[in-house]
Amino acid sequence: MLRPYPPIQSRTRSHTGAAFSLVEVMVGLVILALLGALTASAVNSAQESARLSKSTATIRQLGTAALVYATDNKGRWPRSNHSFTRSERQWWLALSGYLWKEPLSSRGDPRYIQYEARMLRDPLNPAEGSGGSLSNRYSYGINGYLQLDPAIDDYEGRPAHWGSAQFVPHPERTVLFAANRQQTSDHFMAHFWSKRGDDLTDLDPRNDDKVAYVYCDGHVAWQLPAKAFAPEAGVDHWNPSRAGIMRP
């Protein structure tokens, strides 16, 4: 006896509950976009934190190198373009033997470009110019007070001078290097500053409104410029003869 075929079921299926509605798709896209934005923000924050840490380490190395150089050279600080001699090279050359693989004698040395990029450039102050070339020679400047000669320079505190580390009365409050805005200068002519804001022409804030300073005792501080120079409030961490004066 022939059995009847089972009834042919309709191949048409209800899509209710088996597919996403337009609203659900849109909600999913929004969630994905938010997750992407949060991830990108976290990555950017981590990268910025890494650059800040490297920036702090770079200026700390600079201060440490200057202190070791002074120890090796009868206490004398490395010189700047303002005060170098044939026997005492500019600090960015004099410190190359402490910061780099080996000493460099001039900017014309083919190794200088790599040395400059890695040791004289702040990670928060990247290379500028066409082709990634460096528009500045250095990201830092040395405190000009440490370079003054009482025989030829006019400054507050003369005839005292601080060209040697042992002559700086308050090294923990006296600036050694700071982040430099000037394109071609390797030092700060701080003895020409007379009022608050004069320093802002030369200083280069790179961490919000804060500037990186390394002091003559080797410690690094990220601080607002007014914390180091506000003469109307009796604050001057640049002039070694006034650095010990505490804010009223």
Side-chain angles (χ1 to χ4, degrees):
M1 179 178 181
L2 296 176
R3 295 181 179 180
Y5 289 106
I8 298 176
Q9 297 180 354
S10 171
R11 296 184 182 181
T12 302
R13 298 176 58 189
S14 171
H15 290 278
T16 303
F20 295 107
S21 69
L22 179 59
V23 172
E24 290 172 326
V25 171
M26 294 301 294
V27 169
L29 291 175
V30 169
I31 292 174
L32 288 175
L34 288 174
L35 290 175
L38 290 173
T39 301
S41 177
V43 170
N44 290 337
S45 178
Q47 290 175 338
E48 187 64 20
S49 178
R51 283 193 293 269
L52 180 59
S53 296
K54 188 175 180 181
S55 173
T56 303
T58 300
I59 197 170
R60 179 178 288 114
Q61 284 181 289
L62 194 58
T64 300
L67 287 168
V68 177
Y69 173 92
T71 300
D72 291 345
N73 290 272
K74 300 180 180 180
R76 287 183 64 80
W77 297 115
R79 315 312 292 165
S80 70
N81 283 333
H82 177 77
S83 61
F84 79 99
T85 65
R86 185 179 296 274
S87 61
E88 295 179 298
R89 306 305 297 164
Q90 299 97 320
W91 64 261
W92 35 274
L93 287 176
L95 298 185
S96 61
Y98 301 87
L99 295 170
W100 199 234
K101 303 168 186 176
E102 56 189 53
L104 304 177
S105 59
S106 72
R107 189 182 286 115
D109 189 309
R111 299 166 298 173
Y112 179 83
I113 295 177
Q114 188 178 19
Y115 163 64
E116 177 187 277
R118 293 192 180 183
M119 304 310 306
L120 306 182
R121 297 291 300 184
D122 187 346
L124 295 179
N125 183 24
E128 301 170 354
S130 60
S133 62
L134 302 180
S135 62
N136 295 359
R137 286 201 289 266
Y138 349 80
S139 292
Y140 310 99
I142 196 169
N143 182 359
Y145 272 104
L146 307 178
Q147 312 286 298
L148 296 174
D149 183 343
I152 61 175
D153 292 306
D154 185 20
Y155 54 92
E156 182 182 359
R158 179 181 178 185
H161 60 93
W162 308 278
S164 294
Q166 63 266 32
F167 295 159
V168 177
H170 300 281
E172 77 286 355
R173 292 176 60 82
T174 303
V175 173
L176 176 54
F177 286 98
N180 183 18
R181 185 192 301 275
Q182 295 300 304
Q183 296 282 315
T184 57
S185 178
D186 68 345
H187 59 284
F188 295 96
M189 302 293 278
H191 57 295
F192 288 146
W193 302 342
S194 60
K195 61 184 184 302
R196 182 188 291 208
D198 287 349
D199 53 335
L200 298 181
T201 301
D202 302 328
L203 292 171
D204 193 2
R206 296 172 189 159
N207 177 18
D208 293 330
D209 293 326
K210 296 178 181 178
V211 173
Y213 301 82
V214 62
Y215 283 76
C216 288
D217 67 343
H219 86 272
V220 175
W222 283 95
Q223 56 192 21
L224 297 173
K227 293 289 186 179
F229 185 74
E232 75 285 356
V235 176
D236 189 348
H237 291 181
W238 294 85
N239 185 339
S241 67
R242 295 182 56 81
I245 301 175
M246 303 296 289
R247 184 188 292 269

